[in-house]
Structure formats: structure tokens, C-alpha cells
Amino acid sequence: MSREIKLDVLILGGGFAGVYTGKALGKKMNPKNHSVGIVSSNNYMVFQPMLAEVVGASISPRHVVNSLRSLCPKVQVYRAEIESIDLEEKSVMISPDPHVNPVKIVYKELVVCLGAEIDLSRVPGMQQHALPMQTVGDAMILRTRIIARFEHAMLESDPELRRRLLTFIVVGGGYSGVETAGQILDLIASTGKSYQGLEKEDFKVVLIHAGSHILPTMDEKLARYAENTLVRRGLWLVLDQKVRAVTATTVYLDNGTWIEGATVISTVGNAPHRFVKEMIEKHDLKSERGRLVTNAELEVEGVDGLWAAGDCAATTMTDGALTPPTAQFASRLGAQCGANITAKLAGKPLKPFKFT
């Protein structure tokens, strides 16, 4: 028999937006009067902006994970997968484990902070041959793969095959892609020289980006500075090109050219979360490229008690632009969302989100 839990506020997602919403609610609301819960597939938050440093061994994997219960001490944490969301009944069904009965959570206010999902299937071969960079496990696998390539190349006598083993191709010129490429360069500089027989010329780190410059959410002048700095450090930069297909040894580009390399890392392929997409379609909600459109106070208009923050939300800022899917914005959106929910429950006016 399913258990039923009643909450005043339910947060879906344990990323930056979800955690900062929970922290704000925990600080401002008395747990004796109001109950708050977070549903997350993990009982920890991953500090994704520093996953690249795990790849380069600049920091330990344990330094990029934090317990949700420690971060949000006044919030109940439910480690489970979402089974269904009923906006009309104001309930969410969750499944902790196949061996545990599903749990029904009934809420008054629902905060959707589910972020985005990874879909590499849109590029032939990407799903089979590219390594993602989303979790701590991904970062550790990539670091292990890079070191393994060093070991294999040291024993390979064929120069062409050795160069292919030591070519690392990063797809995507956003923050994750740029930081990952930079950390691989650092790892090569610090560790590659320890492998006898491998020359500096054998190593190659390639960054492929579809835009005219990397870091598109940053000021172009700063982005160009980053480009020049990375190129001086040895990065091979390919701009204005999309990846057409990936095999175990080659990345094919839209212009008909190709790059040979034994290791491909994908930092692209974000797709709308399936439950966010389902909400938009079922309730005809306003959306922007699969993101829930909110008002300035972070409410999803058209559904009572529904809020959204973080990568799955499209909130218009004071300059008219939409909030970008970055950790800096997600954390501040979450904090403002928590403050506004507290104000609503107390009968006080809400404040619009402001951040540049």
C-alpha cells in the first residue's frame, strides 16, 4: 500500500536551483508551521562547474559533492525517482526503489527545478562513442580514460596510431567544454611528460564549437581573450562547425572534413526534461525551447501553486533577456523563488527576480 505525505512546499530536483530554493525556505519558514521537501534522484548535490577540475586532478571528487541534508537541514529529502506529476490533484508519485512501495506526495506549492536531460542520440554515433560530462562518475571515467590513453600510446610504435590515441576531442564551446579542454591541457602538461617516448607534438586537444566564438553567454571580448589564451597553450580550436557523426576513431564535421581521435567528450546535447515537456504539452503552458516560461516572480502562470527555477525555467530579466542556464543564475533564481513562496504563504507581496 502506498504511503501518502502532505507538504506545504515540494521541490523537484536537487541541483543549484532546488537546493537554493530549499535553503531559502528553510531559513525563512518555521518547520513547525510549514513542511518542505525535496525529491532528487541523489541525496547529494554535484557542483558541476568544477567537474572539469576532477578530470584534471586539480581537486578530489569528494570536493564537488555535498549532502542535500547538510545543505538544507530544515528540509525533508526524499531520494527517489519521479513516477508521475498531477498538477490538477497537486500530487507527485515517487518511487524510491523497485523493492519499496511508491509514495504519493500531496503539496500546496510545487517548485520545478528539474534542469535538462542529456540526449546524444541526435548525432549519429555520439551516444555510442562520446563520453558525457554530467556527473562525478563521468569526470572520473574521463580522467581514467585519458591516463589509459597515455599508457597505451607509450607502448605503440606506429606514430599515426599513437597520435590518434593522444588526440582528445571536446564537442561544445560552453563553460563545460572550455573548462574540460583546459583541464585536459593541464593534465597533459603535468602528467604527459612522465611517459617516456611521448613527445609534446604527439598530444592534441581539439575543441569543436558550432558558434563563431566560444563561451556564447559571456561578453565577446572576454570570450575572444579565452580563445587566444587556450590556443597559446596548445588548443586546436574549430569554430562555426557542427559535428555530423562520430565513430570510434573519427569525428565528422558538417563541412565534409574530419578529425581522427580515440577519445571524444560531449558537453552538448541538452534536451528538455521529460516531465517538464509533459507538463507543457498536457496543460498547454507557455514555453521557450522546452523551458517553462515564468513571470518575474518565478510563477508559472495558468497553474495555481506552480513555480519553476533553474535550467528548466525561462524567466525574463529586467533587460528583456531570458535567464541563461548557468549555476550563477540557478542559485539566485532558487533563492528568490524560496523567498517569494515564503511571502505568498505569509500573505505578503512577491518580489521580481533581478540579477545581471
PDB file of all heavy atoms in Angstrom, residues 161-183:
ATOM      1  N   LEU A 161      49.067   5.923 -35.220  1.00  0.00           N
ATOM      2  CA  LEU A 161      48.156   5.391 -34.211  1.00  0.00           C
ATOM      3  C   LEU A 161      48.405   6.039 -32.862  1.00  0.00           C
ATOM      4  O   LEU A 161      47.471   6.320 -32.107  1.00  0.00           O
ATOM      5  CB  LEU A 161      48.316   3.870 -34.115  1.00  0.00           C
ATOM      6  CG  LEU A 161      47.384   3.139 -33.139  1.00  0.00           C
ATOM      7  CD1 LEU A 161      45.934   3.510 -33.393  1.00  0.00           C
ATOM      8  CD2 LEU A 161      47.583   1.643 -33.225  1.00  0.00           C
ATOM      9  N   ARG A 162      49.674   6.321 -32.567  1.00  0.00           N
ATOM     10  CA  ARG A 162      49.996   6.964 -31.287  1.00  0.00           C
ATOM     11  C   ARG A 162      49.380   8.366 -31.218  1.00  0.00           C
ATOM     12  O   ARG A 162      48.831   8.759 -30.194  1.00  0.00           O
ATOM     13  CB  ARG A 162      51.515   7.039 -31.111  1.00  0.00           C
ATOM     14  CG  ARG A 162      51.931   7.565 -29.739  1.00  0.00           C
ATOM     15  CD  ARG A 162      53.384   7.321 -29.445  1.00  0.00           C
ATOM     16  NE  ARG A 162      54.255   7.966 -30.408  1.00  0.00           N
ATOM     17  CZ  ARG A 162      55.067   7.332 -31.243  1.00  0.00           C
ATOM     18  NH1 ARG A 162      55.095   6.005 -31.245  1.00  0.00           N
ATOM     19  NH2 ARG A 162      55.836   7.989 -32.095  1.00  0.00           N
ATOM     20  N   ARG A 163      49.458   9.110 -32.313  1.00  0.00           N
ATOM     21  CA  ARG A 163      48.855  10.447 -32.335  1.00  0.00           C
ATOM     22  C   ARG A 163      47.334  10.371 -32.187  1.00  0.00           C
ATOM     23  O   ARG A 163      46.717  11.223 -31.551  1.00  0.00           O
ATOM     24  CB  ARG A 163      49.238  11.174 -33.627  1.00  0.00           C
ATOM     25  CG  ARG A 163      50.654  11.740 -33.613  1.00  0.00           C
ATOM     26  CD  ARG A 163      50.875  12.688 -34.770  1.00  0.00           C
ATOM     27  NE  ARG A 163      50.856  11.991 -36.053  1.00  0.00           N
ATOM     28  CZ  ARG A 163      51.929  11.455 -36.619  1.00  0.00           C
ATOM     29  NH1 ARG A 163      53.110  11.532 -36.019  1.00  0.00           N
ATOM     30  NH2 ARG A 163      51.839  10.856 -37.784  1.00  0.00           N
ATOM     31  N   ARG A 164      46.723   9.343 -32.798  1.00  0.00           N
ATOM     32  CA  ARG A 164      45.273   9.189 -32.666  1.00  0.00           C
ATOM     33  C   ARG A 164      44.895   8.891 -31.216  1.00  0.00           C
ATOM     34  O   ARG A 164      43.914   9.423 -30.694  1.00  0.00           O
ATOM     35  CB  ARG A 164      44.779   8.066 -33.569  1.00  0.00           C
ATOM     36  CG  ARG A 164      43.250   7.937 -33.590  1.00  0.00           C
ATOM     37  CD  ARG A 164      42.812   6.675 -34.307  1.00  0.00           C
ATOM     38  NE  ARG A 164      43.285   6.652 -35.680  1.00  0.00           N
ATOM     39  CZ  ARG A 164      43.352   5.547 -36.423  1.00  0.00           C
ATOM     40  NH1 ARG A 164      43.003   4.387 -35.893  1.00  0.00           N
ATOM     41  NH2 ARG A 164      43.770   5.600 -37.664  1.00  0.00           N
ATOM     42  N   LEU A 165      45.698   8.055 -30.557  1.00  0.00           N
ATOM     43  CA  LEU A 165      45.440   7.739 -29.150  1.00  0.00           C
ATOM     44  C   LEU A 165      45.537   8.979 -28.271  1.00  0.00           C
ATOM     45  O   LEU A 165      44.835   9.093 -27.260  1.00  0.00           O
ATOM     46  CB  LEU A 165      46.423   6.671 -28.659  1.00  0.00           C
ATOM     47  CG  LEU A 165      46.185   5.241 -29.133  1.00  0.00           C
ATOM     48  CD1 LEU A 165      47.412   4.381 -28.808  1.00  0.00           C
ATOM     49  CD2 LEU A 165      44.945   4.654 -28.477  1.00  0.00           C
ATOM     50  N   LEU A 166      46.398   9.902 -28.661  1.00  0.00           N
ATOM     51  CA  LEU A 166      46.659  11.077 -27.834  1.00  0.00           C
ATOM     52  C   LEU A 166      45.930  12.321 -28.328  1.00  0.00           C
ATOM     53  O   LEU A 166      46.286  13.437 -27.950  1.00  0.00           O
ATOM     54  CB  LEU A 166      48.166  11.332 -27.757  1.00  0.00           C
ATOM     55  CG  LEU A 166      48.975  10.224 -27.075  1.00  0.00           C
ATOM     56  CD1 LEU A 166      50.470  10.524 -27.141  1.00  0.00           C
ATOM     57  CD2 LEU A 166      48.529  10.044 -25.629  1.00  0.00           C
ATOM     58  N   THR A 167      44.916  12.124 -29.170  1.00  0.00           N
ATOM     59  CA  THR A 167      44.066  13.234 -29.609  1.00  0.00           C
ATOM     60  C   THR A 167      42.757  13.183 -28.835  1.00  0.00           C
ATOM     61  O   THR A 167      42.041  12.180 -28.869  1.00  0.00           O
ATOM     62  CB  THR A 167      43.786  13.159 -31.121  1.00  0.00           C
ATOM     63  OG1 THR A 167      45.024  13.308 -31.833  1.00  0.00           O
ATOM     64  CG2 THR A 167      42.833  14.274 -31.549  1.00  0.00           C
ATOM     65  N   PHE A 168      42.446  14.261 -28.136  1.00  0.00           N
ATOM     66  CA  PHE A 168      41.251  14.341 -27.304  1.00  0.00           C
ATOM     67  C   PHE A 168      40.350  15.432 -27.870  1.00  0.00           C
ATOM     68  O   PHE A 168      40.755  16.598 -27.957  1.00  0.00           O
ATOM     69  CB  PHE A 168      41.635  14.637 -25.856  1.00  0.00           C
ATOM     70  CG  PHE A 168      42.622  13.640 -25.300  1.00  0.00           C
ATOM     71  CD1 PHE A 168      43.990  13.903 -25.312  1.00  0.00           C
ATOM     72  CD2 PHE A 168      42.181  12.425 -24.808  1.00  0.00           C
ATOM     73  CE1 PHE A 168      44.903  12.974 -24.822  1.00  0.00           C
ATOM     74  CE2 PHE A 168      43.083  11.488 -24.314  1.00  0.00           C
ATOM     75  CZ  PHE A 168      44.441  11.762 -24.326  1.00  0.00           C
ATOM     76  N   ILE A 169      39.140  15.049 -28.258  1.00  0.00           N
ATOM     77  CA  ILE A 169      38.227  15.954 -28.951  1.00  0.00           C
ATOM     78  C   ILE A 169      37.060  16.305 -28.034  1.00  0.00           C
ATOM     79  O   ILE A 169      36.314  15.422 -27.604  1.00  0.00           O
ATOM     80  CB  ILE A 169      37.710  15.311 -30.250  1.00  0.00           C
ATOM     81  CG1 ILE A 169      38.892  14.892 -31.142  1.00  0.00           C
ATOM     82  CG2 ILE A 169      36.782  16.263 -30.987  1.00  0.00           C
ATOM     83  CD1 ILE A 169      38.481  14.032 -32.329  1.00  0.00           C
ATOM     84  N   VAL A 170      36.911  17.584 -27.744  1.00  0.00           N
ATOM     85  CA  VAL A 170      35.824  18.072 -26.896  1.00  0.00           C
ATOM     86  C   VAL A 170      34.803  18.766 -27.792  1.00  0.00           C
ATOM     87  O   VAL A 170      35.153  19.666 -28.562  1.00  0.00           O
ATOM     88  CB  VAL A 170      36.333  19.055 -25.824  1.00  0.00           C
ATOM     89  CG1 VAL A 170      35.181  19.525 -24.946  1.00  0.00           C
ATOM     90  CG2 VAL A 170      37.423  18.408 -24.976  1.00  0.00           C
ATOM     91  N   VAL A 171      33.550  18.345 -27.692  1.00  0.00           N
ATOM     92  CA  VAL A 171      32.478  18.927 -28.504  1.00  0.00           C
ATOM     93  C   VAL A 171      31.646  19.864 -27.627  1.00  0.00           C
ATOM     94  O   VAL A 171      31.078  19.437 -26.623  1.00  0.00           O
ATOM     95  CB  VAL A 171      31.573  17.830 -29.103  1.00  0.00           C
ATOM     96  CG1 VAL A 171      30.498  18.457 -29.983  1.00  0.00           C
ATOM     97  CG2 VAL A 171      32.403  16.822 -29.901  1.00  0.00           C
ATOM     98  N   GLY A 172      31.600  21.130 -28.003  1.00  0.00           N
ATOM     99  CA  GLY A 172      30.818  22.108 -27.247  1.00  0.00           C
ATOM    100  C   GLY A 172      31.707  23.171 -26.635  1.00  0.00           C
ATOM    101  O   GLY A 172      32.585  22.853 -25.824  1.00  0.00           O
ATOM    102  N   GLY A 173      31.461  24.437 -26.993  1.00  0.00           N
ATOM    103  CA  GLY A 173      32.309  25.530 -26.508  1.00  0.00           C
ATOM    104  C   GLY A 173      31.677  26.373 -25.427  1.00  0.00           C
ATOM    105  O   GLY A 173      32.016  27.559 -25.277  1.00  0.00           O
ATOM    106  N   GLY A 174      30.755  25.776 -24.657  1.00  0.00           N
ATOM    107  CA  GLY A 174      30.224  26.470 -23.491  1.00  0.00           C
ATOM    108  C   GLY A 174      31.183  26.347 -22.320  1.00  0.00           C
ATOM    109  O   GLY A 174      32.338  25.930 -22.473  1.00  0.00           O
ATOM    110  N   TYR A 175      30.701  26.678 -21.121  1.00  0.00           N
ATOM    111  CA  TYR A 175      31.576  26.626 -19.950  1.00  0.00           C
ATOM    112  C   TYR A 175      32.167  25.227 -19.741  1.00  0.00           C
ATOM    113  O   TYR A 175      33.365  25.074 -19.527  1.00  0.00           O
ATOM    114  CB  TYR A 175      30.805  27.052 -18.694  1.00  0.00           C
ATOM    115  CG  TYR A 175      30.496  28.523 -18.629  1.00  0.00           C
ATOM    116  CD1 TYR A 175      29.193  28.987 -18.799  1.00  0.00           C
ATOM    117  CD2 TYR A 175      31.498  29.459 -18.385  1.00  0.00           C
ATOM    118  CE1 TYR A 175      28.894  30.347 -18.736  1.00  0.00           C
ATOM    119  CE2 TYR A 175      31.215  30.815 -18.323  1.00  0.00           C
ATOM    120  CZ  TYR A 175      29.910  31.249 -18.501  1.00  0.00           C
ATOM    121  OH  TYR A 175      29.624  32.589 -18.444  1.00  0.00           O
ATOM    122  N   SER A 176      31.319  24.210 -19.799  1.00  0.00           N
ATOM    123  CA  SER A 176      31.789  22.850 -19.525  1.00  0.00           C
ATOM    124  C   SER A 176      32.845  22.413 -20.528  1.00  0.00           C
ATOM    125  O   SER A 176      33.879  21.837 -20.163  1.00  0.00           O
ATOM    126  CB  SER A 176      30.618  21.863 -19.545  1.00  0.00           C
ATOM    127  OG  SER A 176      29.721  22.133 -18.506  1.00  0.00           O
ATOM    128  N   GLY A 177      32.585  22.683 -21.812  1.00  0.00           N
ATOM    129  CA  GLY A 177      33.533  22.269 -22.840  1.00  0.00           C
ATOM    130  C   GLY A 177      34.866  22.975 -22.726  1.00  0.00           C
ATOM    131  O   GLY A 177      35.931  22.347 -22.820  1.00  0.00           O
ATOM    132  N   VAL A 178      34.813  24.283 -22.510  1.00  0.00           N
ATOM    133  CA  VAL A 178      36.051  25.070 -22.411  1.00  0.00           C
ATOM    134  C   VAL A 178      36.859  24.653 -21.188  1.00  0.00           C
ATOM    135  O   VAL A 178      38.084  24.475 -21.261  1.00  0.00           O
ATOM    136  CB  VAL A 178      35.713  26.574 -22.372  1.00  0.00           C
ATOM    137  CG1 VAL A 178      36.960  27.394 -22.029  1.00  0.00           C
ATOM    138  CG2 VAL A 178      35.140  27.017 -23.713  1.00  0.00           C
ATOM    139  N   GLU A 179      36.183  24.493 -20.054  1.00  0.00           N
ATOM    140  CA  GLU A 179      36.892  24.102 -18.835  1.00  0.00           C
ATOM    141  C   GLU A 179      37.470  22.689 -18.948  1.00  0.00           C
ATOM    142  O   GLU A 179      38.578  22.420 -18.477  1.00  0.00           O
ATOM    143  CB  GLU A 179      35.949  24.209 -17.635  1.00  0.00           C
ATOM    144  CG  GLU A 179      35.583  25.644 -17.288  1.00  0.00           C
ATOM    145  CD  GLU A 179      34.399  25.740 -16.342  1.00  0.00           C
ATOM    146  OE1 GLU A 179      33.854  24.693 -15.965  1.00  0.00           O
ATOM    147  OE2 GLU A 179      34.016  26.878 -16.000  1.00  0.00           O
ATOM    148  N   THR A 180      36.729  21.793 -19.573  1.00  0.00           N
ATOM    149  CA  THR A 180      37.216  20.428 -19.748  1.00  0.00           C
ATOM    150  C   THR A 180      38.450  20.410 -20.645  1.00  0.00           C
ATOM    151  O   THR A 180      39.451  19.745 -20.329  1.00  0.00           O
ATOM    152  CB  THR A 180      36.120  19.530 -20.344  1.00  0.00           C
ATOM    153  OG1 THR A 180      35.000  19.502 -19.450  1.00  0.00           O
ATOM    154  CG2 THR A 180      36.617  18.118 -20.562  1.00  0.00           C
ATOM    155  N   ALA A 181      38.394  21.135 -21.754  1.00  0.00           N
ATOM    156  CA  ALA A 181      39.550  21.199 -22.652  1.00  0.00           C
ATOM    157  C   ALA A 181      40.768  21.783 -21.935  1.00  0.00           C
ATOM    158  O   ALA A 181      41.892  21.284 -22.074  1.00  0.00           O
ATOM    159  CB  ALA A 181      39.199  22.035 -23.886  1.00  0.00           C
ATOM    160  N   GLY A 182      40.538  22.833 -21.149  1.00  0.00           N
ATOM    161  CA  GLY A 182      41.641  23.444 -20.413  1.00  0.00           C
ATOM    162  C   GLY A 182      42.259  22.499 -19.400  1.00  0.00           C
ATOM    163  O   GLY A 182      43.488  22.442 -19.239  1.00  0.00           O
ATOM    164  N   GLN A 183      41.420  21.729 -18.717  1.00  0.00           N
ATOM    165  CA  GLN A 183      41.932  20.789 -17.721  1.00  0.00           C
ATOM    166  C   GLN A 183      42.682  19.622 -18.374  1.00  0.00           C
ATOM    167  O   GLN A 183      43.656  19.115 -17.815  1.00  0.00           O
ATOM    168  CB  GLN A 183      40.786  20.261 -16.862  1.00  0.00           C
ATOM    169  CG  GLN A 183      40.280  21.252 -15.830  1.00  0.00           C
ATOM    170  CD  GLN A 183      41.319  21.580 -14.770  1.00  0.00           C
ATOM    171  OE1 GLN A 183      42.038  20.705 -14.297  1.00  0.00           O
ATOM    172  NE2 GLN A 183      41.411  22.843 -14.390  1.00  0.00           N
TER     173      GLN A 183
END
